[in-house]
């Protein structure tokens, strides 16, 4: 890092390595293609993701010979179609379908002060809805309505649309302001948006907003809100109440129509209000309002018109209520009672171990219309329990709701929403952790599930004798006394089919090569919360699934695949043979249900090595197989089930040195540089020699390239020669083997070459040449498809220590490149840019594409004397490959944890007498939770595998199948599902496992915590785990080496006992020391009680331990029974949050007042304040860059780099004693830190570390955020780079699209003007621009478009 801190003006580039995983909200609909279910997600960090639900059938066969035993396994995945960068803070989302349209559009509320109307479009053919056509987005409208920023009175926090035809939309702020926009279509079918209509209401706080299904009457919007009086009015009213009670009552009566005072507490009544848009008068009015339960927080609209009774469901604490204008009061179960209930309300079932004094809050409700007159709702509680809500209507009048039933469905991770698909799928965007897509097994569960009804709830209220419904429903004890209880288990009515990874929240990161046997360092991140916590090890590279491994008789020299033109399924051809070439033989393997070795019956020459082979023909006609051996070219054809072989032999004593073939063309190179070109005659099906050319030098490699779709031949071939030149030759009939262009490689020589047809980003295809070099690097250049000219700005990247072998493969339906060196790599184009990432696998020697019914898109490769079949992607799928988005490819290994991880540190432990071992220590703690032993004594099972779950899941009734859109049930299918449900294996159990939150303590100050020791060299397996008792929580840890202990690494843990958050307090704090015994066990040494506040930070300091205790910084020495206090510094502003140390300096991050530089005066044994920051920054993390420079992150999402001015620490210590005490303590006498860089990331940075991401590479500043983003600040090393990126960023601030109307520079300067940090996300937007805009910017930069793209790519390649 010395290079970036040497200059006075530091310049950094922000590069995103992994997008934020947290999803703010989501919506389901048909956005890019009609009839295809898709999900739009708003992610933290300002990105909008469009996912498609892809359902594929994979045929499997049983062991029986009967054809009827063939089964189809359904695989459901989420495929990322489009990612939209908004560079803004996203707040709300709703999907609407304008009347007359076949697709949905989205409305987005953000901090730009605009309402964004976006539409997605695709070129997918109507007969192939799951094809990989590119998806684009269009900004239809983006009208501005107010100030930018997330202000309480700026609309954008809530967004609701009219369910009937999308006629209008309401956008509301947290307080006061509401705007209504009317949507329509013009004569050309384009969507129009009118000027906003105001529906403001002063002193009104909004909690939720939905559009009411009112049929085709005037649109109505329901708002859950509270109105409060002005402060002066409240004070005067209180005084008047004391002096004149009658006048006060009169005033309250006058205001009763406006707002009703709450009956309990000092707050005000929460109301559900209807706002009506009169389409005729073009006016919005507050039509109707009624009070609801005080804890209400969420709304959901019920279908209306001919589909249902209309109205809304209101979710609150312990209850769900149905409300609608003009609804009749429910009938009392006790007819003799004088109490008349007014609410149609139902209590929710509760968990067995949940305290009766604590309520359970409903956080989200979602409604799905199944068919005409049939619908249901799903509601989720704050504990994760999902309930099914059904409304029963009157038989005489279907618009009148008589009662409500709530039954337990399952327990899922707590989500920010519930998206129910018509495909019987449920998408849960988790609040923290991985998101899940679930398949319903049954939905009509009222007969077997734990349930409660509104009739029972109202009956309990009537029997209680309570005169006020508000008083009865406000008590959690009343709800706990009447509802049934349950114990959460594994999923019974659904199972998980797909997982969308998310790191959120990340609390700490550590980068280093700790595994011991890998080339690149790993990212160790502490992720998750509660039962979903994990330690995730991220590796730069694509995950690889090893499907098969087979031993070979020797070391192969190549491997090839041969397509089977005779059989096709789903429009795809599968491979017929795998051909493995050895030094003096060829092995032919037949691919079918099993892989078998073939002999002479295959027609291949097995006594010689194979240089190239391919199936000939375009699929419509079998052209046979070509095999190229050193002695000649063999054409193998099958006629009347007989193998017919024709061979062209090499003239004289020459031998073929290298060859290449595709479906219709063969090119061979003889010793001395003679090239011979063959073509397949489409009429006769024979191979004919078409042309010969001598290039005058030996050929190292060549490739004829793939045949473009719809064409009969490849127009170019690439030839690499030993004179370090790469030539592009023409294969056009009029100019066979004529040179078109060439490039010189310099000192190195080509080793392999390949031509690929890739997506150019604008819907057009590009021809790309990739050359593997002998020095371990790869060169890639674009080729003009007309002239054959090689681009003047080829990109070059070092891949490994071995020569690079290049071959074409197909992954995720797109052409890709496999590059094999000391590490395998995958290269692919996507979103207008080229991406390259390593595969997380052992080194491979040779490889090619492979496909059959079991492995749709895989790789067959050799490594040593083994043949391997691999699949790239998660769980063998290719859904998360690079190229789909701008993320660098990472694969993760998860290690489950017990509690929320807080901090980690590395320890060097002794093993035996002389051995050393690196171990990783973690501290975990959860507030408002019990410890593991207490949970066990209470009978709680966090896995959900109770004794009852050892039995098979109970069979469902015939009507349990989920009826989504069909008008009639299929009884036969229901019977089959009932029989299949009786057979459950372990794989099915794994798809039903769900994290279950432990019992909630009844009192405050309860904690569950532990200290864990893991081994990073053994997949981070747990070596030891020490559970803390007595409500003691471990919040921080550090490795410390006391001089008195001989430099042995000890683990210091800061703990707090019975800590409460509101108000902040605790009983006592301790610093606990542990010793690592034999590298696998923690041994307790002693515990030291400390005063002055909680211990939040620890650091090793000059053979001692420096501890941040509340507002005090204290230095400790090792003692026999406890730590010994040496010196301290009191009076820090608020609380010490972070600590670093170097030399005689300590760098203290205050929780509210930024950074302080402290110096230790060893002569006087005291800690002296050297300098402080002039700005008040609420510090969340910090990282030391050098002795004078520190990078800090604050809770507002800003990153700043601060530096100590030169000579500031000289006068910190008064060695003369002449300075007055009051002069040294003055505030203005303390030097102030200089701010070198400022940048708004947009997400709260929780941890930073300085690391090199490649062996021998330059250091960068790696950071992680609470929403799961991983990024790096890369220092610029030349003035040319600074000028290039500064100019590019300036042009893109003007040219880049603004989907939400937010100015990129204003976003990065949210709290302070951005300074000396370039927005890498904005620079990456260059690849997404139209070509004309790219060319315009490139001309202003005095570069070509290819040179700009190469510069962007090389910058990322230098980092990873």
């Amino acid at each position: 890092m010395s290079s970036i801190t040497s200059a006075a003006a530091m310049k950094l580039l922000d590069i995103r390595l992994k997008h934020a995983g947290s999803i703010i909200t989501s919506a389901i609909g048909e956005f890019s293609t009609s009839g295809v279910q898709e999900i739009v997600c708003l992610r933290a960090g300002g990105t909008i993701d469009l996912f498609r639900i892809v359902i594929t059938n994979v045929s499997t066969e049983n062991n029986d010979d009967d054809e009827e035993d063939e089964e189809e396994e359904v695989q459901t995945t989420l495929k990322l179609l489009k990612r939209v960068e908004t560079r803004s803070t996203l707040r709300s989302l709703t999907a609407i379908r304008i009347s007359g349209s076949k697709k949905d559009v989205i409305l987005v509320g953000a901090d730009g002060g605009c309402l964004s109307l976006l539409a997605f479009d695709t070129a997918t053919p109507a007969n192939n809805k799951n094809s990989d056509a590119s998806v684009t987005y269009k900004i239809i409208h983006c009208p501005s309505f107010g100030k930018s920023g997330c202000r309480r009175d700026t609309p954008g926090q809530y967004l609701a649309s009219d369910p009937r035809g999308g006629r209008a939309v309401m956008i509301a702020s947290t307080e006061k302001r509401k705007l209504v926009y009317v949507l329509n279509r013009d004569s050309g079918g384009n969507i129009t948006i009118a000027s906003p209509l105001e529906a403001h209401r002063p002193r009104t706080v909004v909690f939720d907003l939905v559009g009411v299904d009112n049929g085709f009457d005037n649109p109505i919007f329901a708002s859950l809100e509270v109105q409060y009086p002005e402060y002066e009015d409240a004070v005067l009213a209180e005084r008047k109440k004391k002096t004149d009670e009658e006048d006060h009552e009169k005033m309250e009566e006058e205001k009763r129509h406006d707002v009703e005072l709450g009956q309990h507490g000092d707050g005000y009544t929460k109301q559900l209000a209807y706002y009506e848009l009169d389409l005729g008068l073009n006016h919005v009015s507050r039509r109707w309002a009624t009070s609801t339960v005080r804890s209400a927080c969420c709304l959901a609209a019920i279908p209306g018109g001919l589909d249902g009774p209309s109205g809304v469901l209101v979710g609150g604490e312990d209850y769900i209520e149905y409300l609608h204008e003009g609804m009749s009061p429910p009938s009392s179960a006790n007819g003799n009672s004088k109490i008349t209930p007014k609410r149609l309300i139902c209590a929710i079932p509760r968990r067995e171990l949940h305290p009766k004094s604590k309520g359970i809050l409903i956080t989200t409700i979602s409604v799905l219309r199944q068919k005409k007159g049939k619908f249901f709702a799903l509601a989720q509680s704050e504990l994760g329990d999902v309930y099914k809500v059904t409304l029963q209507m009157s038989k005489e009048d279907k618009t009148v709701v008589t009662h409500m039933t709530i039954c337990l469905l399952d327990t899922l991770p707590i989500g920010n929403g519930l998206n129910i698909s018509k495909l019987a799928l449920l998408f849960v965007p988790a609040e923290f952790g991985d998101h899940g897509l679930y398949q319903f097994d049954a939905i009509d569960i009222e007969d077997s599930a734990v349930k409660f009804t509104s009739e029972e709830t109202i009956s309990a209220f009537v029997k209680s004798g309570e005169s006020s419904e508000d008083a009865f429903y406000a008590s959690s004890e009343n709800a706990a006394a009447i509802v049934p209880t349950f114990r959460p288990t594994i999923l019974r009515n659904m199972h998980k089919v797909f997982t969308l990874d998310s790191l959120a929240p990340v609390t700490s990161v550590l980068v280093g090569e700790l595994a011991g046997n890998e080339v690149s360092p790993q990212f160790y991140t502490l992720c998750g919360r509660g039962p979903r916590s994990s330690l995730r090890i991220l590796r730069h590279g694509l995950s690889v699934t090893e499907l098969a491994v087979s031993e070979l008789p020797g070391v192969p020299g190549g491997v090839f695949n041969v397509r089977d033109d005779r059989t096709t399924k789903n429009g795809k051809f599968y491979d017929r043979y795998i051909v493995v070439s050895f030094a003096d033989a060829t092995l032919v393997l037949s691919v079918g249900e099993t892989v078998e070795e073939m002999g002479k019956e295959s027609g291949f020459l097995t006594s010689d090595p194979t240089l190239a082979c391919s199936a000939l023909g375009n699929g419509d006609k079998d052209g046979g197989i070509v095999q190229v051996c050193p002695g000649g070219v063999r054409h193998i054809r099958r006629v009347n089930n007989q193998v017919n072989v024709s061979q062209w032999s090499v003239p004289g004593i020459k031998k073929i040195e290298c060859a290449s073939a595709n479906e219709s063309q063969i090119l061979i190179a003889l010793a001395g540089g003679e090239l011979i070109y063959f073509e397949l005659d489409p009429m006769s099906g024979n191979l004919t020699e078409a042309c010969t050319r001598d290039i005058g030098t030996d050929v190292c490699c060549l490739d004829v390239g793939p045949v473009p779709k719809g064409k009969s031949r490849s127009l170019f071939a690439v030839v690499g020669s030993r004179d370090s030149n790469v030539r592009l030759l023409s294969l056009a009939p009029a100019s066979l083997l004529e040179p078109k262009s060439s490039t010189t490689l310099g000192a190195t020589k080509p080793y392999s070459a390949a031509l690929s047809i890739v997506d150019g980003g604008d819907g057009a295809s590009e021809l790309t040449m990739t050359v593997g070099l002998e020095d371990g690097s790869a060169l890639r250049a674009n080729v003009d498809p007309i002239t054959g000219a090689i681009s003047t700005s080829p990109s070059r990247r070092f891949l490994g220590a071995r020569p690079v072998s290049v071959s074409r493969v197909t992954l995720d339906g797109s052409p890709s490149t496999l590059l094999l060196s000391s590490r395998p790599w995958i290269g692919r184009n996507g979103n207008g840019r080229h991406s390259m990432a390593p595969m997380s696998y052992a080194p491979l020697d040779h490889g090619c594409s492979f496909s059959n019914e079991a492995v749709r898109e895989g790789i067959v490769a050799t490594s040593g004397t083994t043949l391997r079949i691999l699949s790239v992607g998660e769980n063998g799928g290719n859904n998360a490959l690079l190229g789909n988005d701008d993320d660098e490819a990472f694969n993760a290994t998860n290690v489950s944890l017990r509690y929320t991880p807080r901090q980690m540190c590395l320890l060097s432990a002794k093993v035996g007498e002389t051995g050393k071992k690196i171990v990783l220590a973690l501290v975990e703690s959860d507030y408002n939770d019990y410890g593991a032993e207490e949970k066990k004594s209470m009978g709680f099972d966090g896995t959900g595998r109770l004794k009852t779950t050892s039995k098979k899941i109970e069979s469902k009734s015939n009507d349990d199948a989920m009826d989504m859109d069909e008008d009639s049930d299929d009884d036969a299918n229901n019977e089959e599902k009932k029989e299949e449900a009786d057979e459950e294996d372990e794989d099915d159990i794994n798809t039903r496992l769900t994290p279950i939150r432990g019992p909630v303590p009844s009192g405050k100050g309860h904690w569950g915590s532990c200290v864990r020791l893991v081994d990073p060299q053994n997949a981070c397996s747990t070596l030891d785990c020490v559970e803390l008792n007595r409500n003691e929580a471990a919040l921080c840890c550090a490795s410390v080496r006391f001089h008195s202990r001989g430099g042995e690494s000890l683990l210091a843990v800061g703990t707090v006992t019975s800590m409460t958050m509101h108000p902040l307090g605790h009983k006592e704090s301790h610093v606990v020391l542990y010793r690592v015994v034999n590298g696998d066990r923690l041994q307790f040494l002693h515990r030291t009680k400390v005063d002055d506040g909680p211990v939040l930070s620890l650091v090793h300091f000059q053979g001692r331990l420096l501890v941040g205790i509340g507002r005090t910084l204290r230095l400790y020495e090792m003692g026999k029974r406890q730590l010994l206090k040496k010196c301290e510094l009191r009076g820090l502003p608020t609380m010490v949050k972070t600590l670093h140390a170097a030399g005689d300096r300590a760098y203290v991050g205050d929780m509210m007042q930024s950074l302080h530089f402290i110096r230790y005066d060893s002569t006087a044994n005291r800690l002296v304040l050297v300098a402080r920051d002039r700005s008040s920054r609420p510090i969340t993390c910090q990282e030391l860059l050098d002795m004078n420079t520190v990078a800090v992150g604050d809770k507002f999402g800003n990153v700043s780099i601060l530096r100590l001015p030169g000579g500031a620490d000289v006068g910190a210590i008064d060695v003369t004693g002449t300075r007055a005490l009051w002069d040294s303590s003055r505030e203005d006498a303390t030097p102030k830190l200089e701010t070198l860089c400022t940048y708004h990331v947009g997400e709260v940075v929780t941890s930073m570390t300085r690391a090199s991401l490649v062996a021998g590479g330059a250091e960068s500043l790696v950071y992680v955020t609470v929403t799961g983003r991983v990024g790096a600040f890369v220092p610029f090393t030349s003035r040319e780079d600074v000028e290039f990126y500064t100019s590019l960023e300036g042009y893109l601030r003007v040219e880049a699209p603004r989907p939400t109307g937010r100015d990129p520079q204003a976003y990065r300067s949210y709290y302070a003007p951005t300074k000396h940090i370039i927005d890498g996300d904005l620079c990456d937007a260059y690849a997404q621009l139209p070509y004309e805009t790219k060319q315009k910017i490139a001309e202003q930069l005095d570069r070509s478009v290819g040179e700009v793209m190469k510069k962007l790519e090389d910058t990322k390649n230098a980092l990873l």
Side-chain angles (χ1 to χ4, degrees), residues 2 46 55 155 204 301 391 403 658 816 1038 1166 1344:
S2 59
I55 300 177
T204 301
L391 300 179
H403 58 279
C658 51
S816 306
R1166 62 172 183 164
S1344 65

mmCIF file with all atom_site columns, all heavy atoms in Angstrom, residues 2 46 55 155 204 301 391 403 658 816 1038 1166 1344:
data_model
loop_
_atom_site.group_PDB
_atom_site.id
_atom_site.type_symbol
_atom_site.label_atom_id
_atom_site.label_alt_id
_atom_site.label_comp_id
_atom_site.label_asym_id
_atom_site.label_entity_id
_atom_site.label_seq_id
_atom_site.pdbx_PDB_ins_code
_atom_site.Cartn_x
_atom_site.Cartn_y
_atom_site.Cartn_z
_atom_site.occupancy
_atom_site.B_iso_or_equiv
_atom_site.pdbx_formal_charge
_atom_site.auth_seq_id
_atom_site.auth_comp_id
_atom_site.auth_asym_id
_atom_site.auth_atom_id
_atom_site.pdbx_PDB_model_num
ATOM 1  N N   . SER A 1 2    ? 2.170   1.088   0.084   1.00 0.00 ? 2    SER A N   1
ATOM 2  C CA  . SER A 1 2    ? 3.020   2.266   0.134   1.00 0.00 ? 2    SER A CA  1
ATOM 3  C C   . SER A 1 2    ? 2.918   3.081   -1.143  1.00 0.00 ? 2    SER A C   1
ATOM 4  O O   . SER A 1 2    ? 3.068   4.294   -1.133  1.00 0.00 ? 2    SER A O   1
ATOM 5  C CB  . SER A 1 2    ? 4.472   1.853   0.370   1.00 0.00 ? 2    SER A CB  1
ATOM 6  O OG  . SER A 1 2    ? 4.911   0.993   -0.665  1.00 0.00 ? 2    SER A OG  1
ATOM 7  N N   . GLY A 1 46   ? -28.433 -0.270  -5.471  1.00 0.00 ? 46   GLY A N   1
ATOM 8  C CA  . GLY A 1 46   ? -29.001 0.406   -6.631  1.00 0.00 ? 46   GLY A CA  1
ATOM 9  C C   . GLY A 1 46   ? -29.085 -0.414  -7.885  1.00 0.00 ? 46   GLY A C   1
ATOM 10 O O   . GLY A 1 46   ? -29.006 0.143   -8.985  1.00 0.00 ? 46   GLY A O   1
ATOM 11 N N   . ILE A 1 55   ? -38.132 -23.868 -15.922 1.00 0.00 ? 55   ILE A N   1
ATOM 12 C CA  . ILE A 1 55   ? -38.476 -25.229 -15.518 1.00 0.00 ? 55   ILE A CA  1
ATOM 13 C C   . ILE A 1 55   ? -38.106 -26.162 -16.660 1.00 0.00 ? 55   ILE A C   1
ATOM 14 O O   . ILE A 1 55   ? -38.607 -26.020 -17.776 1.00 0.00 ? 55   ILE A O   1
ATOM 15 C CB  . ILE A 1 55   ? -39.972 -25.362 -15.179 1.00 0.00 ? 55   ILE A CB  1
ATOM 16 C CG1 . ILE A 1 55   ? -40.332 -24.416 -14.026 1.00 0.00 ? 55   ILE A CG1 1
ATOM 17 C CG2 . ILE A 1 55   ? -40.319 -26.799 -14.812 1.00 0.00 ? 55   ILE A CG2 1
ATOM 18 C CD1 . ILE A 1 55   ? -41.803 -24.432 -13.664 1.00 0.00 ? 55   ILE A CD1 1
ATOM 19 N N   . PRO A 1 155  ? -41.790 11.803  -1.541  1.00 0.00 ? 155  PRO A N   1
ATOM 20 C CA  . PRO A 1 155  ? -42.422 10.537  -1.944  1.00 0.00 ? 155  PRO A CA  1
ATOM 21 C C   . PRO A 1 155  ? -41.408 9.570   -2.542  1.00 0.00 ? 155  PRO A C   1
ATOM 22 O O   . PRO A 1 155  ? -40.398 9.970   -3.125  1.00 0.00 ? 155  PRO A O   1
ATOM 23 C CB  . PRO A 1 155  ? -43.459 10.982  -2.982  1.00 0.00 ? 155  PRO A CB  1
ATOM 24 C CG  . PRO A 1 155  ? -43.758 12.395  -2.642  1.00 0.00 ? 155  PRO A CG  1
ATOM 25 C CD  . PRO A 1 155  ? -42.460 12.971  -2.140  1.00 0.00 ? 155  PRO A CD  1
ATOM 26 N N   . THR A 1 204  ? -49.184 13.455  9.083   1.00 0.00 ? 204  THR A N   1
ATOM 27 C CA  . THR A 1 204  ? -49.638 12.073  8.907   1.00 0.00 ? 204  THR A CA  1
ATOM 28 C C   . THR A 1 204  ? -48.438 11.194  8.580   1.00 0.00 ? 204  THR A C   1
ATOM 29 O O   . THR A 1 204  ? -47.703 11.467  7.627   1.00 0.00 ? 204  THR A O   1
ATOM 30 C CB  . THR A 1 204  ? -50.676 11.971  7.786   1.00 0.00 ? 204  THR A CB  1
ATOM 31 O OG1 . THR A 1 204  ? -51.789 12.801  8.114   1.00 0.00 ? 204  THR A OG1 1
ATOM 32 C CG2 . THR A 1 204  ? -51.138 10.540  7.614   1.00 0.00 ? 204  THR A CG2 1
ATOM 33 N N   . ALA A 1 301  ? -54.155 -6.311  -0.432  1.00 0.00 ? 301  ALA A N   1
ATOM 34 C CA  . ALA A 1 301  ? -55.452 -6.100  -1.057  1.00 0.00 ? 301  ALA A CA  1
ATOM 35 C C   . ALA A 1 301  ? -56.089 -7.425  -1.431  1.00 0.00 ? 301  ALA A C   1
ATOM 36 O O   . ALA A 1 301  ? -55.422 -8.335  -1.934  1.00 0.00 ? 301  ALA A O   1
ATOM 37 C CB  . ALA A 1 301  ? -55.296 -5.217  -2.296  1.00 0.00 ? 301  ALA A CB  1
ATOM 38 N N   . LEU A 1 391  ? -60.644 -16.431 3.476   1.00 0.00 ? 391  LEU A N   1
ATOM 39 C CA  . LEU A 1 391  ? -61.862 -15.715 3.832   1.00 0.00 ? 391  LEU A CA  1
ATOM 40 C C   . LEU A 1 391  ? -63.066 -16.492 3.315   1.00 0.00 ? 391  LEU A C   1
ATOM 41 O O   . LEU A 1 391  ? -63.059 -16.956 2.168   1.00 0.00 ? 391  LEU A O   1
ATOM 42 C CB  . LEU A 1 391  ? -61.860 -14.300 3.237   1.00 0.00 ? 391  LEU A CB  1
ATOM 43 C CG  . LEU A 1 391  ? -60.723 -13.369 3.664   1.00 0.00 ? 391  LEU A CG  1
ATOM 44 C CD1 . LEU A 1 391  ? -60.865 -12.032 2.968   1.00 0.00 ? 391  LEU A CD1 1
ATOM 45 C CD2 . LEU A 1 391  ? -60.692 -13.185 5.167   1.00 0.00 ? 391  LEU A CD2 1
ATOM 46 N N   . HIS A 1 403  ? -66.417 -14.904 7.845   1.00 0.00 ? 403  HIS A N   1
ATOM 47 C CA  . HIS A 1 403  ? -65.384 -15.221 8.826   1.00 0.00 ? 403  HIS A CA  1
ATOM 48 C C   . HIS A 1 403  ? -64.064 -15.529 8.124   1.00 0.00 ? 403  HIS A C   1
ATOM 49 O O   . HIS A 1 403  ? -64.011 -15.688 6.892   1.00 0.00 ? 403  HIS A O   1
ATOM 50 C CB  . HIS A 1 403  ? -65.807 -16.378 9.744   1.00 0.00 ? 403  HIS A CB  1
ATOM 51 C CG  . HIS A 1 403  ? -66.139 -17.642 9.023   1.00 0.00 ? 403  HIS A CG  1
ATOM 52 N ND1 . HIS A 1 403  ? -67.358 -17.877 8.418   1.00 0.00 ? 403  HIS A ND1 1
ATOM 53 C CD2 . HIS A 1 403  ? -65.407 -18.770 8.814   1.00 0.00 ? 403  HIS A CD2 1
ATOM 54 C CE1 . HIS A 1 403  ? -67.370 -19.070 7.874   1.00 0.00 ? 403  HIS A CE1 1
ATOM 55 N NE2 . HIS A 1 403  ? -66.195 -19.633 8.103   1.00 0.00 ? 403  HIS A NE2 1
ATOM 56 N N   . CYS A 1 658  ? -0.191  -30.922 -37.125 1.00 0.00 ? 658  CYS A N   1
ATOM 57 C CA  . CYS A 1 658  ? -1.370  -30.457 -36.414 1.00 0.00 ? 658  CYS A CA  1
ATOM 58 C C   . CYS A 1 658  ? -2.523  -30.332 -37.405 1.00 0.00 ? 658  CYS A C   1
ATOM 59 O O   . CYS A 1 658  ? -2.304  -30.217 -38.619 1.00 0.00 ? 658  CYS A O   1
ATOM 60 C CB  . CYS A 1 658  ? -1.130  -29.130 -35.695 1.00 0.00 ? 658  CYS A CB  1
ATOM 61 S SG  . CYS A 1 658  ? -0.411  -27.842 -36.722 1.00 0.00 ? 658  CYS A SG  1
ATOM 62 N N   . SER A 1 816  ? -18.252 -20.461 -25.309 1.00 0.00 ? 816  SER A N   1
ATOM 63 C CA  . SER A 1 816  ? -17.237 -20.038 -24.346 1.00 0.00 ? 816  SER A CA  1
ATOM 64 C C   . SER A 1 816  ? -15.904 -20.628 -24.759 1.00 0.00 ? 816  SER A C   1
ATOM 65 O O   . SER A 1 816  ? -15.814 -21.424 -25.703 1.00 0.00 ? 816  SER A O   1
ATOM 66 C CB  . SER A 1 816  ? -17.611 -20.485 -22.925 1.00 0.00 ? 816  SER A CB  1
ATOM 67 O OG  . SER A 1 816  ? -18.902 -20.044 -22.582 1.00 0.00 ? 816  SER A OG  1
ATOM 68 N N   . ALA A 1 1038 ? -9.082  -10.790 19.621  1.00 0.00 ? 1038 ALA A N   1
ATOM 69 C CA  . ALA A 1 1038 ? -7.801  -10.387 19.048  1.00 0.00 ? 1038 ALA A CA  1
ATOM 70 C C   . ALA A 1 1038 ? -6.737  -11.373 19.471  1.00 0.00 ? 1038 ALA A C   1
ATOM 71 O O   . ALA A 1 1038 ? -6.832  -12.008 20.537  1.00 0.00 ? 1038 ALA A O   1
ATOM 72 C CB  . ALA A 1 1038 ? -7.420  -8.970  19.479  1.00 0.00 ? 1038 ALA A CB  1
ATOM 73 N N   . ARG A 1 1166 ? 2.157   6.856   29.488  1.00 0.00 ? 1166 ARG A N   1
ATOM 74 C CA  . ARG A 1 1166 ? 0.844   7.444   29.299  1.00 0.00 ? 1166 ARG A CA  1
ATOM 75 C C   . ARG A 1 1166 ? 0.477   7.429   27.813  1.00 0.00 ? 1166 ARG A C   1
ATOM 76 O O   . ARG A 1 1166 ? 1.346   7.348   26.937  1.00 0.00 ? 1166 ARG A O   1
ATOM 77 C CB  . ARG A 1 1166 ? 0.797   8.865   29.835  1.00 0.00 ? 1166 ARG A CB  1
ATOM 78 C CG  . ARG A 1 1166 ? 1.739   9.828   29.161  1.00 0.00 ? 1166 ARG A CG  1
ATOM 79 C CD  . ARG A 1 1166 ? 1.517   11.259  29.591  1.00 0.00 ? 1166 ARG A CD  1
ATOM 80 N NE  . ARG A 1 1166 ? 2.394   12.182  28.878  1.00 0.00 ? 1166 ARG A NE  1
ATOM 81 C CZ  . ARG A 1 1166 ? 2.193   13.480  28.833  1.00 0.00 ? 1166 ARG A CZ  1
ATOM 82 N NH1 . ARG A 1 1166 ? 1.147   14.014  29.451  1.00 0.00 ? 1166 ARG A NH1 1
ATOM 83 N NH2 . ARG A 1 1166 ? 3.031   14.269  28.171  1.00 0.00 ? 1166 ARG A NH2 1
ATOM 84 N N   . SER A 1 1344 ? -9.736  4.240   -29.655 1.00 0.00 ? 1344 SER A N   1
ATOM 85 C CA  . SER A 1 1344 ? -10.791 3.499   -30.326 1.00 0.00 ? 1344 SER A CA  1
ATOM 86 C C   . SER A 1 1344 ? -11.666 2.808   -29.280 1.00 0.00 ? 1344 SER A C   1
ATOM 87 O O   . SER A 1 1344 ? -11.296 2.708   -28.097 1.00 0.00 ? 1344 SER A O   1
ATOM 88 C CB  . SER A 1 1344 ? -10.197 2.457   -31.281 1.00 0.00 ? 1344 SER A CB  1
ATOM 89 O OG  . SER A 1 1344 ? -9.482  1.474   -30.544 1.00 0.00 ? 1344 SER A OG  1
#
